[in-house]
Amino acid sequence: MAVAVAARFSDDDIRFMAEDGVDRPLEESLGKLLSKTSQELRDAEFPSLEQLDSVDDLEAGTMDIVQYLAEDADDYRHCAAVFSQMPGEEARAVVATLLDHAAWADARLAEARELVASTRRLRDRYLREAAGTEELVHYAANEFQSFVTKETDGGDDVPFGENADNAARAVAIDAAARAGDGVGARFAERFVTLAERLRRAAATTYAAGEVAVVEAMQRQAAEVEALCADPDAFVAKMLATGSWRCFMAMNRLVLREDQARRQQLQRLAIS
């Protein structure tokens, strides 16, 4: 004799679960994220700190989705088992629908787990790239540009001489970078998180037996920590890089051209 299944939900709740359908927007989002992560894996280069943050956030969010989908699949099957004990056509239809929902949840669960795995592979790829660079200060200077830009005017885009207004922003950013006022210490606090990530990755990679990669990660982490230990000297090194000088040269050129046009217009107006 079959053992009766004790219901965790009311009959009306179970009917609602069957009628409510599945989360199609989630299905679409998972597909897009899998495609995007696969593309990023193919194109991975030295990452920005923002990219590393995004990878961490994506992994954490997807882990929540994994739990949510696993619970949904279990609930669908449980409710199907409850209604399978009932007679009638309506009960059989509800069971069939709930089992379809459970199969859908299983498929999305597999995709979510693959997304977690892809996200971890992407982080590993990024940190291997970070460990292998010999241009750490140049990379830091690019990060510093973004950091000071956000502090100065809240912008997400670093100005690169697109127009006179953006060139004037660049001058203000450069001035803020040189003004002191603790900007170096605030940036160092942000940048040193790269060392923390490298050391965590080294511990994982060590378990895989990749000694050369582990040593590179540990060496780069130590270099990041050494730079961040003296924020003022760190800022001076970044301002002296070719990337920062090029950043300012392009923007100053735009300002000079704009000033020349204004002067020409003034002369034409006077004549």
Side-chain angles (χ1 to χ4, degrees):
M1 180 172 144
V3 177
V5 178
R8 300 198 297 256
F9 303 92
S10 70
D11 289 355
D12 286 343
D13 286 341
I14 292 174
R15 289 188 181 92
F16 177 78
M17 288 172 65
E19 294 167 2
D20 192 41
V22 294
D23 193 341
R24 296 299 178 188
L26 174 60
E27 180 177 359
E28 183 178 356
S29 294
L30 283 171
K32 288 180 178 178
L33 286 169
L34 277 168
S35 177
K36 180 174 181 287
T37 305
S38 295
Q39 183 65 45
E40 289 171 345
L41 270 167
R42 289 191 292 271
D43 301 338
E45 297 178 347
F46 199 110
S48 67
L49 292 177
E50 186 174 354
Q51 284 175 307
L52 291 172
D53 287 343
S54 294
V55 168
D56 290 345
D57 291 344
L58 179 57
E59 181 188 8
T62 308
M63 289 297 294
D64 288 341
I65 291 171
V66 165
Q67 181 178 353
Y68 155 72
L69 287 168
E71 291 172 353
D72 267 9
D74 181 66
D75 286 344
Y76 287 139
R77 287 193 173 85
H78 167 78
C79 293
V82 170
F83 262 57
S84 69
Q85 301 171 132
M86 299 179 183
E89 196 65 33
E90 187 237 358
R92 286 193 290 273
V94 170
V95 169
T97 300
L98 289 170
L99 290 177
D100 283 345
H101 291 354
W104 177 92
D106 287 341
R108 302 293 79 73
L109 180 59
E111 290 174 349
R113 285 173 173 156
E114 174 55 29
L115 182 56
V116 170
S118 295
T119 301
R120 290 171 178 169
R121 288 195 296 271
L122 180 59
R123 180 192 294 112
D124 179 70
R125 182 78 174 274
Y126 276 153
L127 291 172
R128 286 170 185 260
E129 292 288 336
T133 187
E134 296 179 357
E135 299 180 346
L136 184 60
V137 176
H138 172 85
Y139 162 75
N142 292 334
E143 287 289 333
F144 191 48
Q145 287 172 7
S146 297
F147 183 86
V148 182
T149 297
K150 288 181 180 178
E151 280 208 347
T152 302
D153 60 22
D156 290 324
D157 59 316
V158 175
F160 281 105
E162 299 89 340
N163 52 54
D165 288 341
N166 270 342
R169 285 177 62 216
V171 172
I173 290 163
D174 183 68
R178 297 176 187 278
D181 193 30
V183 66
R186 292 192 296 277
F187 176 71
E189 184 178 356
R190 166 74 168 145
F191 194 70
V192 80
T193 61
L194 176 60
E196 296 164 3
R197 286 178 161 117
L198 284 165
R199 292 199 185 281
R200 286 197 298 269
T204 302
T205 307
Y206 177 79
E210 298 183 68
V211 176
V213 177
V214 170
E215 290 175 349
M217 288 177 171
Q218 292 173 336
R219 186 167 54 249
Q220 197 74 300
E223 178 64 19
V224 170
E225 289 163 347
L227 287 169
C228 293
D230 188 342
D232 291 339
F234 189 16
V235 168
K237 288 178 180 178
M238 290 186 290
L239 295 180
T241 59
S243 60
W244 194 280
R245 294 199 306 272
C246 180
F247 161 66
M248 289 309 302
M250 286 191 303
N251 283 290
R252 285 181 177 134
L253 178 61
V254 170
L255 285 176
R256 283 196 296 270
E257 291 174 347
D258 182 67
Q259 185 178 17
R261 281 195 298 270
R262 290 175 184 273
Q263 290 173 346
Q264 184 178 15
L265 288 173
Q266 288 175 350
R267 286 194 295 270
L268 289 172
I270 292 172
S271 62

